[in-house]
Amino acid sequence: MASVTFKQEPVTLLGDEVKVGDTAPNFKVLSNNLETVTLDDYEGKVKLISAVPSIDTGVCSEETIRFNKEADSIPNVQVLTISMDLPFAQTRWCAANDVKNLDTLSDHNLADFGKNYGTLIEELRLLTRAVFVVDSNNKITYVEYVDEVTNHPDYESALEAAKAAK
C-alpha cells in the first residue's frame, strides 16, 4: 500500500491500492445536483481522476483550477475531481472559481470511491491526494498517490498520461 503522510505524520489508507494495468474499479459518488454518478457514466472516454482532501483548501483549489484550465486542451478526456466535500460546497466553490470544464463529485455519502481506489484516510475520513488516468476501456494507465497530502501532484506526468491514453 502507498505510504502517505499528512503534515509529516503517517496516515492509514483504507481500501485497495490500484495499479497501472488494473481494470478501474467502479464507484458511486454524488454529482453537484445530488444524482448518483458512476465510472460507467463516462464510458468511452479517457478519465483523469483527481482525488483531493477538500476542494476549499489551498493546494486542492490550485490543483482543481489547474486541471480545469487544461481540461479543454485534451480531446476525449473527462476530468473528474472527487473529494469528501458536500455537493453544495463543491457547487459554491466552482461558481466562485469559474470552474466549468470538469466534474466535481462528492464521495461524502458512501466513501465508495475512497475505498475502491485506496484513497480513504482512516484517521480523517478524507481522501488522500491522488491522480489516476483511466483509458476509454477502463484500464488504469497512470497512478500517483502523492506521498505527502499537502503537496501538489506531478501535473505534467498526469496530463501527458491523459493525452497518451486512448
Side-chain angles (χ1 to χ4, degrees), residues 80-118:
L80 311 174
T81 295
I82 302 177
S83 71
M84 294 297 257
D85 296 301
L86 293 174
F88 314 110
Q90 291 177 339
T91 299
R92 179 197 49 75
W93 183 90
C94 287
N97 290 280
D98 197 32
V99 169
K100 299 174 183 165
N101 298 326
L102 57 78
D103 290 352
T104 54
L105 301 167
S106 175
D107 201 24
H108 91 283
N109 191 24
L110 301 173
D112 194 51
F113 175 85
K115 293 171 190 168
N116 290 343
Y117 283 72

Side-chain angles (χ1 to χ4, degrees), residues 58-71:
V59 175
C60 300
S61 180
E62 290 175 37
E63 179 176 339
T64 304
I65 289 168
R66 169 79 186 267
F67 283 133
N68 178 68
K69 180 181 167 190
E70 303 281 354

Side-chain angles (χ1 to χ4, degrees), residues 45-83:
K45 290 190 169 204
V46 172
K47 284 78 61 182
L48 187 154
I49 304 171
S50 169
V52 299
S54 177
I55 203 164
D56 238 350
T57 59
V59 175
C60 300
S61 180
E62 290 175 37
E63 179 176 339
T64 304
I65 289 168
R66 169 79 186 267
F67 283 133
N68 178 68
K69 180 181 167 190
E70 303 281 354
D72 274 351
S73 67
I74 312 170
N76 199 41
V77 173
Q78 178 64 53
V79 179
L80 311 174
T81 295
I82 302 177
S83 71

